[in-house]
Amino acid sequence: MQKTFPIPEKIASFASIFKKAGHSLYAVGGAVRDWLLGLANSDWDFCTDATPEEMTSLFRRTIPTGIKHGTVTILYKNEKYEVTTFRTEASYSDCRHPDSIRFARTLEEDLSRRDFTVNAFAADCSTGEITDLFGGIEDLKNRTIRSIGNPAERFSEDALRLMRMARFCSKLSFSCDAATKEAASLLHGTIAKISRERVQDELFKTLETRRPSIGLRLMEETGILREILPELSACREIEQIKVGSKNLLDHIYASVDESARMDSPLVVRVAALLHDIGKPEVVERNPFGRLAFPNHAESGAEASKRILRRLKCSNEMTSRVSTLVRHHDTRYRSSWRDGDVKRFIRSLGAENIDDFFRLKWCDEASSVGEVDDKSRKRDEEFKERIKKALTEPLNVKDLAVNGVDLMNIGIPRDSRLGETLNSLLEIVLDYPVLNDKRVLLDAAETIFQTLKTTEQAQGFERKPADP
């Protein structure tokens, strides 16, 4: 491998300011590693022997991004560069943050505090010369993730490195060094000390890699998965014979890899990870001795909500993933009425239609192999019917009448108003031609009278609505 890193002109100009003042500037970590591997990378991190105060004096516009940790964001020629002073760190009482830091004067001291050899490259931003103090280039050749120094010490310093280890294995399709993996297995329980937000972030970054299953399997083998997603670990015990899989967890891994292969958005990748998470809760054997999973999609949707809330995911992510999980096992048939298609859209949400098909294909491809022509034709038919349904009334607001219209014919403003509107919608979903104001008002009177009669027969007394 070449050892002269190509420095872009803008960064060389930026580095010249440091050099003129007697300081050095290095690009560190991923940008250098990915260049050595021939991968694209636009994410730059820099380190320097200049202190934050010295950097602030060198540049007119700076932002004290993480000043107490030595990090300054410098605005230079319409670009933002995040630069951190060389530093060393003391003990990590909380397995995440150093108890104290001190600024160092040498690059060697700074690189020695980093996590893995393949993340500890530094390239001089004036000459392009690459520094590799820990055998990172050799590890790249061997496609290995290895801790710098004693792996148990590195993981004890920052337990999030346990998940970073898995992420980099997935990102680069590397294996893990034996000593590093052994230390991770011994210390997997320390991941519990990491905030759920950070765990979520690393998990999602792993799902966004080219081969998520590599990192997921590594987390399973070291016990990390059991700590962060015990529901997923339970899937290992469920037998399920599918293409390339003999149990449920292998099928899930295959589904997630398929979502990555299809370059699916994150919400689909998360849904692929959780789509069968409800099966262990409902598993039973049918009269023929085969395993069955009644209502597993509904069970999985509820489990997904619990998991994503525990991981502090956004309400939108939680809602969309659980909705996809709830509907992933939907089996469309040509015999569906138009109203059935519309009710499906209402339950799924129009915004989730494309992701529903993506998840469906991931699940199918990892279950039976390549999606066959019959399935493709059925999906195309379903899409066309959905497209048509989206041009017709789907919601109460699409009706030719509204609540005011119903109150004007004597329907009180209580729960019966909503019940009547919903009943009208059910009619229109099946017969859109009836979405006519006069027709719906006549139907509303009949529906309301039926509600009144039913309540009277049951002896139900409704309280008047609040004014």
Side-chain angles (χ1 to χ4, degrees):
M1 293 185 181
Q2 292 180 315
K3 294 191 179 182
T4 302
F5 184 72
I7 305 297
E9 186 177 336
K10 273 190 175 182
I11 291 176
S13 174
F14 179 56
S16 69
I17 306 298
F18 286 84
K19 189 173 183 179
K20 287 176 184 176
H23 298 295
S24 56
L25 181 72
Y26 292 89
V28 290
V32 184
R33 177 200 66 228
D34 288 353
W35 177 78
L36 287 167
L37 290 170
L39 303 175
N41 189 318
S42 58
D43 185 19
W44 290 80
D45 290 307
F46 300 93
C47 66
T48 180
D49 57 356
T51 65
E53 293 75 15
E54 288 169 332
M55 284 190 274
T56 302
S57 69
L58 288 176
F59 296 91
R60 186 164 52 89
R61 295 186 299 163
T62 62
I63 304 170
T65 313
I67 199 75
K68 68 178 183 178
H69 295 109
T71 302
V72 175
T73 297
I74 299 171
L75 285 68
Y76 179 76
K77 292 187 176 181
N78 299 319
E79 298 287 348
K80 288 183 179 180
Y81 300 114
E82 193 171 273
V83 187
T84 301
T85 302
F86 296 159
R87 72 187 196 202
T88 59
E89 297 165 347
S91 59
Y92 291 67
S93 300
D94 64 356
C95 291
R96 180 70 184 105
H97 304 98
D99 295 333
S100 65
I101 67 166
R102 70 174 180 82
F103 296 141
R105 299 307 298 181
T106 68
L107 176 66
E108 290 76 13
E109 288 178 281
D110 184 83
L111 294 180
S112 65
R113 70 177 175 81
R114 297 175 183 271
D115 51 8
F116 306 110
T117 62
V118 298
N119 291 334
F121 299 112
D124 189 311
C125 291
S126 296
T127 66
E129 181 183 358
I130 294 177
T131 298
D132 174 24
L133 300 177
F134 306 104
I137 288 178
E138 192 63 26
D139 285 338
L140 290 183
K141 291 178 181 178
N142 295 329
R143 306 182 68 79
T144 300
I145 297 298
R146 180 167 58 89
S147 287
I148 293 172
N150 185 322
E153 290 180 6
R154 297 292 82 77
F155 291 134
S156 295
E157 289 168 352
D158 183 356
L160 194 62
R161 288 171 174 167
L162 293 163
M163 294 189 69
R164 281 170 59 83
M165 168 193 68
R167 170 160 66 92
F168 284 115
C169 284
S170 277
K171 175 184 171 72
L172 303 172
S173 294
F174 281 16
S175 59
C176 187
D177 163 73
T180 301
K181 184 175 179 180
E182 182 180 2
S185 299
L186 291 171
L187 294 168
H188 69 269
T190 59
I191 197 68
K193 297 184 178 182
I194 302 300
S195 73
R196 297 300 90 183
E197 292 89 347
R198 298 307 301 271
V199 168
Q200 174 220 124
D201 184 55
E202 280 298 324
L203 176 63
F204 285 5
K205 285 179 179 177
T206 300
L207 294 180
E208 291 181 304
T209 62
R210 294 181 295 175
R211 288 280 305 281
S213 67
I214 295 175
L216 293 170
R217 287 184 188 280
L218 181 55
M219 285 192 280
E220 181 190 3
E221 291 165 4
T222 54
I224 300 166
L225 191 67
R226 187 168 61 252
E227 293 292 328
I228 63 172
L229 287 173
E231 302 91 342
L232 202 59
S233 289
C235 295
R236 174 60 69 196
E237 306 304 319
I238 304 298
E239 175 189 342
Q240 192 161 40
I241 307 300
K242 296 193 174 185
V243 171
S245 305
K246 292 186 177 180
N247 62 69
L248 180 58
L249 190 52
D250 282 339
H251 164 64
I252 289 172
Y253 289 158
S255 298
V256 176
D257 277 354
E258 193 65 28
S259 74
R261 189 185 69 80
M262 293 180 179
D263 198 23
S264 301
L266 178 61
V267 66
V268 176
R269 298 182 189 218
V270 178
L273 182 70
L274 301 178
H275 77 283
D276 277 347
I277 202 75
K279 284 187 173 180
E281 294 183 10
V282 300
V283 61
E284 62 182 34
R285 289 198 179 274
N286 64 23
F288 304 99
R290 298 187 63 181
L291 293 181
F293 308 96
N295 300 314
H296 81 273
E298 184 65 33
S299 173
E302 294 306 310
S304 296
K305 287 181 185 177
R306 294 193 299 270
I307 291 167
L308 297 179
R309 287 169 181 161
R310 187 175 74 226
L311 292 175
K312 307 296 184 183
C313 291
S314 68
N315 290 336
E316 180 185 9
M317 174 65 80
T318 302
S319 174
R320 293 192 64 188
V321 169
S322 61
T323 296
L324 289 172
V325 171
R326 178 173 284 108
H327 292 87
H328 83 274
D329 206 36
T330 299
R331 297 289 184 263
Y332 165 74
R333 296 288 181 269
S334 296
S335 58
W336 279 22
R337 296 175 301 166
D338 288 346
D340 296 328
V341 175
K342 294 171 187 174
R343 290 180 181 90
F344 170 77
I345 296 171
R346 279 173 49 77
S347 179
L348 176 68
E351 71 279 7
N352 294 316
I353 290 171
D354 289 343
D355 290 338
F356 161 77
F357 281 103
R358 291 187 182 103
L359 178 60
K360 179 180 180 297
W361 293 330
C362 293
D363 187 18
E364 190 168 346
S366 57
S367 297
V368 299
E370 189 67 28
V371 179
D372 61 29
D373 289 341
K374 184 177 180 180
S375 294
R376 292 183 186 279
K377 287 179 181 178
R378 185 167 56 243
D379 286 346
E380 288 305 315
E381 178 186 305
F382 195 13
K383 282 184 173 182
E384 285 301 313
R385 293 190 67 184
I386 288 173
K387 183 178 179 180
K388 178 178 180 293
L390 288 171
T391 67
E392 297 178 350
L394 283 171
N395 299 291
V396 167
K397 64 180 178 60
D398 298 325
L399 294 174
V401 296
N402 57 34
V404 173
D405 295 323
L406 299 196
M407 287 189 286
N408 287 339
I409 62 170
I411 298 178
R413 188 179 180 180
D414 56 31
S415 62
R416 288 171 294 188
L417 186 69
E419 290 175 36
T420 303
L421 283 169
N422 286 327
S423 295
L424 294 176
L425 177 62
E426 288 299 312
I427 294 170
V428 170
L429 288 177
D430 288 318
Y431 305 100
V433 70
L434 298 181
N435 193 27
D436 173 84
K437 186 171 184 176
R438 186 65 263 165
V439 171
L440 294 185
L441 287 177
D442 288 344
E445 289 182 329
T446 301
I447 292 167
F448 177 62
Q449 289 303 321
T450 300
L451 287 173
K452 283 180 61 178
T453 301
T454 301
E455 289 180 356
Q456 289 168 357
Q458 295 175 347
F460 179 78
E461 293 185 14
R462 186 179 298 274
K463 294 180 178 179
D466 294 332

